[in-house]
Amino acid sequence: MGYTIPIGPYHPSLEEPVHVKLYTEGELITDADVFIGYNHRGIEKLASERNYIQTITLVERVCGICSHSHTLAYCLALEKIADMKVPKRASYIRVIFCELERLHSHFLWLGLAAHIIGFDSAFMYSFAAREKVMDTLEMLSGNRVNYAMNIVGGCRRDISKDQFDRLIKMLQELEEPYEKILYIFSNDKTLELRTKGVGKLS
């Protein structure tokens, strides 16, 4: 028996508006109509009406998962235009935040992927590991999503010796859950059965 299943235009696991009509025969998807939408939030227009310092706040809100990366790219562009030298310590702090953001982003993706394929134990392991990273980002910056660390010419805040020690401790504690998650995703037979050969594109 065939069904047409609508997904979207908004869906909890999608960040942008997309509407998909899936045509099925039983559990087999036989065809799909995909309608990609564009959500213009007006950031470009707002940025044209503000100065380059005010624009950092706008750029940080492009994405909640990689907010630091967006402001870093923006600040690096302005610093290059102005031929501005950034202190080495500020560059190190920027890289630390980039790496912490990368960790939480990867754990987020792994958790959501596990949840979508129905493996909620792996979802919970991944999000528990991500929570340690998010707590550390909050400890270092005061914020869990938009850290407001980048400024043209450097960073808004320094990292103290105590904060750095707590950061290192968190990274050491993260090794065990990371190894466990890596083992699950590499070896679990149920996960393999749900993903291997699925969604092949010719």
Side-chain angles (χ1 to χ4, degrees), residues 19-45:
H19 176 62
V20 180
K21 281 185 185 173
L22 297 178
Y23 302 99
T24 67
E25 290 295 332
E27 291 188 1
L28 183 68
I29 298 171
T30 56
D31 201 1
D33 290 329
V34 182
F35 308 95
I36 304 295
Y38 176 59
N39 186 8
H40 191 326
R41 293 181 288 171
I43 289 175
E44 298 90 343
K45 176 62 177 165

PDB file of all heavy atoms in Angstrom, residues 19-45:
ATOM      1  N   HIS A  19      10.812  21.362   2.776  1.00  0.00           N
ATOM      2  CA  HIS A  19       9.601  20.544   2.724  1.00  0.00           C
ATOM      3  C   HIS A  19       9.873  19.368   1.791  1.00  0.00           C
ATOM      4  O   HIS A  19      10.386  19.547   0.683  1.00  0.00           O
ATOM      5  CB  HIS A  19       8.416  21.367   2.214  1.00  0.00           C
ATOM      6  CG  HIS A  19       7.162  20.565   2.049  1.00  0.00           C
ATOM      7  ND1 HIS A  19       6.538  19.946   3.108  1.00  0.00           N
ATOM      8  CD2 HIS A  19       6.433  20.263   0.950  1.00  0.00           C
ATOM      9  CE1 HIS A  19       5.470  19.303   2.666  1.00  0.00           C
ATOM     10  NE2 HIS A  19       5.388  19.479   1.362  1.00  0.00           N
ATOM     11  N   VAL A  20       9.578  18.169   2.267  1.00  0.00           N
ATOM     12  CA  VAL A  20       9.811  16.966   1.473  1.00  0.00           C
ATOM     13  C   VAL A  20       8.529  16.146   1.449  1.00  0.00           C
ATOM     14  O   VAL A  20       7.883  15.964   2.481  1.00  0.00           O
ATOM     15  CB  VAL A  20      10.951  16.108   2.071  1.00  0.00           C
ATOM     16  CG1 VAL A  20      11.182  14.859   1.218  1.00  0.00           C
ATOM     17  CG2 VAL A  20      12.224  16.902   2.208  1.00  0.00           C
ATOM     18  N   LYS A  21       8.145  15.687   0.247  1.00  0.00           N
ATOM     19  CA  LYS A  21       7.060  14.709   0.122  1.00  0.00           C
ATOM     20  C   LYS A  21       7.699  13.374  -0.222  1.00  0.00           C
ATOM     21  O   LYS A  21       8.352  13.228  -1.257  1.00  0.00           O
ATOM     22  CB  LYS A  21       6.094  15.107  -1.012  1.00  0.00           C
ATOM     23  CG  LYS A  21       5.116  16.189  -0.658  1.00  0.00           C
ATOM     24  CD  LYS A  21       4.156  16.398  -1.809  1.00  0.00           C
ATOM     25  CE  LYS A  21       3.234  17.564  -1.554  1.00  0.00           C
ATOM     26  NZ  LYS A  21       2.409  17.863  -2.740  1.00  0.00           N
ATOM     27  N   LEU A  22       7.516  12.400   0.659  1.00  0.00           N
ATOM     28  CA  LEU A  22       8.049  11.067   0.414  1.00  0.00           C
ATOM     29  C   LEU A  22       6.935  10.174  -0.093  1.00  0.00           C
ATOM     30  O   LEU A  22       5.852  10.119   0.486  1.00  0.00           O
ATOM     31  CB  LEU A  22       8.627  10.474   1.707  1.00  0.00           C
ATOM     32  CG  LEU A  22       9.815  11.206   2.336  1.00  0.00           C
ATOM     33  CD1 LEU A  22      10.227  10.510   3.622  1.00  0.00           C
ATOM     34  CD2 LEU A  22      10.986  11.272   1.369  1.00  0.00           C
ATOM     35  N   TYR A  23       7.199   9.479  -1.181  1.00  0.00           N
ATOM     36  CA  TYR A  23       6.244   8.522  -1.744  1.00  0.00           C
ATOM     37  C   TYR A  23       6.735   7.124  -1.386  1.00  0.00           C
ATOM     38  O   TYR A  23       7.881   6.763  -1.669  1.00  0.00           O
ATOM     39  CB  TYR A  23       6.138   8.699  -3.262  1.00  0.00           C
ATOM     40  CG  TYR A  23       5.719  10.099  -3.645  1.00  0.00           C
ATOM     41  CD1 TYR A  23       6.656  11.039  -4.044  1.00  0.00           C
ATOM     42  CD2 TYR A  23       4.376  10.486  -3.595  1.00  0.00           C
ATOM     43  CE1 TYR A  23       6.280  12.331  -4.379  1.00  0.00           C
ATOM     44  CE2 TYR A  23       3.985  11.774  -3.931  1.00  0.00           C
ATOM     45  CZ  TYR A  23       4.939  12.696  -4.323  1.00  0.00           C
ATOM     46  OH  TYR A  23       4.554  13.976  -4.648  1.00  0.00           O
ATOM     47  N   THR A  24       5.873   6.348  -0.733  1.00  0.00           N
ATOM     48  CA  THR A  24       6.305   5.057  -0.209  1.00  0.00           C
ATOM     49  C   THR A  24       5.426   3.920  -0.702  1.00  0.00           C
ATOM     50  O   THR A  24       4.261   4.110  -1.045  1.00  0.00           O
ATOM     51  CB  THR A  24       6.280   5.059   1.334  1.00  0.00           C
ATOM     52  OG1 THR A  24       4.922   5.154   1.774  1.00  0.00           O
ATOM     53  CG2 THR A  24       7.078   6.202   1.910  1.00  0.00           C
ATOM     54  N   GLU A  25       6.032   2.757  -0.728  1.00  0.00           N
ATOM     55  CA  GLU A  25       5.320   1.491  -0.905  1.00  0.00           C
ATOM     56  C   GLU A  25       5.709   0.655   0.303  1.00  0.00           C
ATOM     57  O   GLU A  25       6.830   0.146   0.374  1.00  0.00           O
ATOM     58  CB  GLU A  25       5.721   0.795  -2.213  1.00  0.00           C
ATOM     59  CG  GLU A  25       5.237   1.472  -3.473  1.00  0.00           C
ATOM     60  CD  GLU A  25       3.721   1.471  -3.613  1.00  0.00           C
ATOM     61  OE1 GLU A  25       3.076   0.551  -3.070  1.00  0.00           O
ATOM     62  OE2 GLU A  25       3.185   2.408  -4.222  1.00  0.00           O
ATOM     63  N   GLY A  26       4.821   0.575   1.273  1.00  0.00           N
ATOM     64  CA  GLY A  26       5.177  -0.076   2.538  1.00  0.00           C
ATOM     65  C   GLY A  26       6.240   0.771   3.232  1.00  0.00           C
ATOM     66  O   GLY A  26       6.056   1.962   3.437  1.00  0.00           O
ATOM     67  N   GLU A  27       7.379   0.148   3.582  1.00  0.00           N
ATOM     68  CA  GLU A  27       8.465   0.877   4.226  1.00  0.00           C
ATOM     69  C   GLU A  27       9.499   1.377   3.226  1.00  0.00           C
ATOM     70  O   GLU A  27      10.472   2.035   3.605  1.00  0.00           O
ATOM     71  CB  GLU A  27       9.146  -0.011   5.273  1.00  0.00           C
ATOM     72  CG  GLU A  27       8.252  -0.297   6.469  1.00  0.00           C
ATOM     73  CD  GLU A  27       9.005  -1.010   7.577  1.00  0.00           C
ATOM     74  OE1 GLU A  27      10.207  -1.256   7.429  1.00  0.00           O
ATOM     75  OE2 GLU A  27       8.363  -1.325   8.587  1.00  0.00           O
ATOM     76  N   LEU A  28       9.308   1.086   1.949  1.00  0.00           N
ATOM     77  CA  LEU A  28      10.268   1.489   0.918  1.00  0.00           C
ATOM     78  C   LEU A  28       9.903   2.855   0.353  1.00  0.00           C
ATOM     79  O   LEU A  28       8.761   3.080  -0.072  1.00  0.00           O
ATOM     80  CB  LEU A  28      10.285   0.439  -0.203  1.00  0.00           C
ATOM     81  CG  LEU A  28      11.279   0.676  -1.334  1.00  0.00           C
ATOM     82  CD1 LEU A  28      12.713   0.514  -0.830  1.00  0.00           C
ATOM     83  CD2 LEU A  28      11.008  -0.289  -2.480  1.00  0.00           C
ATOM     84  N   ILE A  29      10.858   3.782   0.377  1.00  0.00           N
ATOM     85  CA  ILE A  29      10.651   5.095  -0.245  1.00  0.00           C
ATOM     86  C   ILE A  29      10.929   4.942  -1.735  1.00  0.00           C
ATOM     87  O   ILE A  29      12.034   4.578  -2.135  1.00  0.00           O
ATOM     88  CB  ILE A  29      11.578   6.162   0.384  1.00  0.00           C
ATOM     89  CG1 ILE A  29      11.256   6.332   1.862  1.00  0.00           C
ATOM     90  CG2 ILE A  29      11.440   7.497  -0.354  1.00  0.00           C
ATOM     91  CD1 ILE A  29      12.244   7.200   2.622  1.00  0.00           C
ATOM     92  N   THR A  30       9.924   5.204  -2.544  1.00  0.00           N
ATOM     93  CA  THR A  30      10.067   5.017  -3.988  1.00  0.00           C
ATOM     94  C   THR A  30      10.407   6.312  -4.720  1.00  0.00           C
ATOM     95  O   THR A  30      10.987   6.285  -5.798  1.00  0.00           O
ATOM     96  CB  THR A  30       8.771   4.439  -4.585  1.00  0.00           C
ATOM     97  OG1 THR A  30       7.676   5.305  -4.259  1.00  0.00           O
ATOM     98  CG2 THR A  30       8.509   3.041  -4.040  1.00  0.00           C
ATOM     99  N   ASP A  31      10.031   7.458  -4.141  1.00  0.00           N
ATOM    100  CA  ASP A  31      10.305   8.737  -4.797  1.00  0.00           C
ATOM    101  C   ASP A  31      10.190   9.849  -3.759  1.00  0.00           C
ATOM    102  O   ASP A  31       9.670   9.641  -2.658  1.00  0.00           O
ATOM    103  CB  ASP A  31       9.313   8.979  -5.943  1.00  0.00           C
ATOM    104  CG  ASP A  31       9.829   9.996  -6.962  1.00  0.00           C
ATOM    105  OD1 ASP A  31      10.963  10.504  -6.787  1.00  0.00           O
ATOM    106  OD2 ASP A  31       9.102  10.273  -7.929  1.00  0.00           O
ATOM    107  N   ALA A  32      10.686  11.022  -4.115  1.00  0.00           N
ATOM    108  CA  ALA A  32      10.595  12.166  -3.208  1.00  0.00           C
ATOM    109  C   ALA A  32      10.569  13.457  -4.005  1.00  0.00           C
ATOM    110  O   ALA A  32      11.251  13.585  -5.023  1.00  0.00           O
ATOM    111  CB  ALA A  32      11.784  12.172  -2.252  1.00  0.00           C
ATOM    112  N   ASP A  33       9.746  14.389  -3.576  1.00  0.00           N
ATOM    113  CA  ASP A  33       9.773  15.759  -4.075  1.00  0.00           C
ATOM    114  C   ASP A  33      10.359  16.618  -2.961  1.00  0.00           C
ATOM    115  O   ASP A  33       9.860  16.610  -1.830  1.00  0.00           O
ATOM    116  CB  ASP A  33       8.358  16.268  -4.401  1.00  0.00           C
ATOM    117  CG  ASP A  33       7.774  15.579  -5.626  1.00  0.00           C
ATOM    118  OD1 ASP A  33       8.559  15.206  -6.514  1.00  0.00           O
ATOM    119  OD2 ASP A  33       6.545  15.419  -5.678  1.00  0.00           O
ATOM    120  N   VAL A  34      11.432  17.353  -3.280  1.00  0.00           N
ATOM    121  CA  VAL A  34      12.121  18.157  -2.272  1.00  0.00           C
ATOM    122  C   VAL A  34      11.977  19.632  -2.634  1.00  0.00           C
ATOM    123  O   VAL A  34      12.303  20.042  -3.742  1.00  0.00           O
ATOM    124  CB  VAL A  34      13.616  17.774  -2.178  1.00  0.00           C
ATOM    125  CG1 VAL A  34      14.322  18.586  -1.095  1.00  0.00           C
ATOM    126  CG2 VAL A  34      13.770  16.282  -1.911  1.00  0.00           C
ATOM    127  N   PHE A  35      11.476  20.401  -1.681  1.00  0.00           N
ATOM    128  CA  PHE A  35      11.320  21.841  -1.866  1.00  0.00           C
ATOM    129  C   PHE A  35      12.217  22.551  -0.848  1.00  0.00           C
ATOM    130  O   PHE A  35      11.911  22.584   0.342  1.00  0.00           O
ATOM    131  CB  PHE A  35       9.856  22.251  -1.659  1.00  0.00           C
ATOM    132  CG  PHE A  35       8.893  21.440  -2.481  1.00  0.00           C
ATOM    133  CD1 PHE A  35       8.271  20.324  -1.941  1.00  0.00           C
ATOM    134  CD2 PHE A  35       8.635  21.771  -3.803  1.00  0.00           C
ATOM    135  CE1 PHE A  35       7.395  19.560  -2.694  1.00  0.00           C
ATOM    136  CE2 PHE A  35       7.756  21.005  -4.563  1.00  0.00           C
ATOM    137  CZ  PHE A  35       7.131  19.903  -4.008  1.00  0.00           C
ATOM    138  N   ILE A  36      13.326  23.087  -1.328  1.00  0.00           N
ATOM    139  CA  ILE A  36      14.290  23.752  -0.445  1.00  0.00           C
ATOM    140  C   ILE A  36      13.863  25.201  -0.256  1.00  0.00           C
ATOM    141  O   ILE A  36      13.623  25.921  -1.227  1.00  0.00           O
ATOM    142  CB  ILE A  36      15.715  23.703  -1.039  1.00  0.00           C
ATOM    143  CG1 ILE A  36      16.141  22.263  -1.332  1.00  0.00           C
ATOM    144  CG2 ILE A  36      16.703  24.401  -0.109  1.00  0.00           C
ATOM    145  CD1 ILE A  36      16.283  21.383  -0.131  1.00  0.00           C
ATOM    146  N   GLY A  37      13.769  25.640   0.985  1.00  0.00           N
ATOM    147  CA  GLY A  37      13.399  27.019   1.281  1.00  0.00           C
ATOM    148  C   GLY A  37      14.593  27.819   1.750  1.00  0.00           C
ATOM    149  O   GLY A  37      15.615  27.282   2.165  1.00  0.00           O
ATOM    150  N   TYR A  38      14.486  29.115   1.699  1.00  0.00           N
ATOM    151  CA  TYR A  38      15.538  29.994   2.180  1.00  0.00           C
ATOM    152  C   TYR A  38      14.951  30.907   3.238  1.00  0.00           C
ATOM    153  O   TYR A  38      13.974  31.591   3.000  1.00  0.00           O
ATOM    154  CB  TYR A  38      16.119  30.823   1.034  1.00  0.00           C
ATOM    155  CG  TYR A  38      17.145  31.837   1.480  1.00  0.00           C
ATOM    156  CD1 TYR A  38      18.300  31.446   2.146  1.00  0.00           C
ATOM    157  CD2 TYR A  38      16.946  33.192   1.260  1.00  0.00           C
ATOM    158  CE1 TYR A  38      19.234  32.372   2.556  1.00  0.00           C
ATOM    159  CE2 TYR A  38      17.876  34.128   1.669  1.00  0.00           C
ATOM    160  CZ  TYR A  38      19.017  33.713   2.316  1.00  0.00           C
ATOM    161  OH  TYR A  38      19.938  34.642   2.737  1.00  0.00           O
ATOM    162  N   ASN A  39      15.557  30.888   4.401  1.00  0.00           N
ATOM    163  CA  ASN A  39      15.077  31.682   5.521  1.00  0.00           C
ATOM    164  C   ASN A  39      15.976  32.906   5.677  1.00  0.00           C
ATOM    165  O   ASN A  39      17.073  32.809   6.224  1.00  0.00           O
ATOM    166  CB  ASN A  39      15.095  30.821   6.794  1.00  0.00           C
ATOM    167  CG  ASN A  39      14.475  31.530   7.966  1.00  0.00           C
ATOM    168  OD1 ASN A  39      13.904  32.600   7.825  1.00  0.00           O
ATOM    169  ND2 ASN A  39      14.581  30.934   9.132  1.00  0.00           N
ATOM    170  N   HIS A  40      15.546  34.031   5.164  1.00  0.00           N
ATOM    171  CA  HIS A  40      16.343  35.256   5.231  1.00  0.00           C
ATOM    172  C   HIS A  40      16.038  35.958   6.546  1.00  0.00           C
ATOM    173  O   HIS A  40      14.941  36.443   6.759  1.00  0.00           O
ATOM    174  CB  HIS A  40      15.994  36.166   4.044  1.00  0.00           C
ATOM    175  CG  HIS A  40      16.941  37.318   3.878  1.00  0.00           C
ATOM    176  ND1 HIS A  40      17.545  37.946   4.935  1.00  0.00           N
ATOM    177  CD2 HIS A  40      17.385  37.945   2.765  1.00  0.00           C
ATOM    178  CE1 HIS A  40      18.320  38.929   4.484  1.00  0.00           C
ATOM    179  NE2 HIS A  40      18.231  38.944   3.175  1.00  0.00           N
ATOM    180  N   ARG A  41      17.035  35.990   7.430  1.00  0.00           N
ATOM    181  CA  ARG A  41      16.820  36.596   8.743  1.00  0.00           C
ATOM    182  C   ARG A  41      17.229  38.069   8.780  1.00  0.00           C
ATOM    183  O   ARG A  41      17.159  38.694   9.821  1.00  0.00           O
ATOM    184  CB  ARG A  41      17.583  35.812   9.798  1.00  0.00           C
ATOM    185  CG  ARG A  41      17.005  34.410   9.969  1.00  0.00           C
ATOM    186  CD  ARG A  41      17.736  33.634  11.018  1.00  0.00           C
ATOM    187  NE  ARG A  41      19.065  33.262  10.531  1.00  0.00           N
ATOM    188  CZ  ARG A  41      20.003  32.725  11.290  1.00  0.00           C
ATOM    189  NH1 ARG A  41      19.788  32.520  12.558  1.00  0.00           N
ATOM    190  NH2 ARG A  41      21.165  32.404  10.791  1.00  0.00           N
ATOM    191  N   GLY A  42      17.698  38.590   7.662  1.00  0.00           N
ATOM    192  CA  GLY A  42      18.008  40.017   7.599  1.00  0.00           C
ATOM    193  C   GLY A  42      19.344  40.411   8.192  1.00  0.00           C
ATOM    194  O   GLY A  42      19.596  41.592   8.435  1.00  0.00           O
ATOM    195  N   ILE A  43      20.229  39.446   8.454  1.00  0.00           N
ATOM    196  CA  ILE A  43      21.520  39.767   9.066  1.00  0.00           C
ATOM    197  C   ILE A  43      22.351  40.667   8.151  1.00  0.00           C
ATOM    198  O   ILE A  43      22.976  41.622   8.609  1.00  0.00           O
ATOM    199  CB  ILE A  43      22.281  38.481   9.451  1.00  0.00           C
ATOM    200  CG1 ILE A  43      21.590  37.814  10.650  1.00  0.00           C
ATOM    201  CG2 ILE A  43      23.743  38.769   9.788  1.00  0.00           C
ATOM    202  CD1 ILE A  43      22.162  36.485  11.063  1.00  0.00           C
ATOM    203  N   GLU A  44      22.333  40.374   6.847  1.00  0.00           N
ATOM    204  CA  GLU A  44      23.113  41.187   5.909  1.00  0.00           C
ATOM    205  C   GLU A  44      22.636  42.634   5.919  1.00  0.00           C
ATOM    206  O   GLU A  44      23.442  43.571   5.945  1.00  0.00           O
ATOM    207  CB  GLU A  44      23.011  40.618   4.482  1.00  0.00           C
ATOM    208  CG  GLU A  44      23.575  39.218   4.334  1.00  0.00           C
ATOM    209  CD  GLU A  44      22.548  38.124   4.582  1.00  0.00           C
ATOM    210  OE1 GLU A  44      21.476  38.412   5.186  1.00  0.00           O
ATOM    211  OE2 GLU A  44      22.815  36.989   4.173  1.00  0.00           O
ATOM    212  N   LYS A  45      21.336  42.841   5.902  1.00  0.00           N
ATOM    213  CA  LYS A  45      20.767  44.195   5.915  1.00  0.00           C
ATOM    214  C   LYS A  45      21.086  44.913   7.220  1.00  0.00           C
ATOM    215  O   LYS A  45      21.482  46.078   7.224  1.00  0.00           O
ATOM    216  CB  LYS A  45      19.254  44.114   5.686  1.00  0.00           C
ATOM    217  CG  LYS A  45      18.534  45.440   5.765  1.00  0.00           C
ATOM    218  CD  LYS A  45      19.007  46.399   4.696  1.00  0.00           C
ATOM    219  CE  LYS A  45      18.217  47.704   4.745  1.00  0.00           C
ATOM    220  NZ  LYS A  45      18.885  48.762   3.982  1.00  0.00           N
TER     221      LYS A  45
END
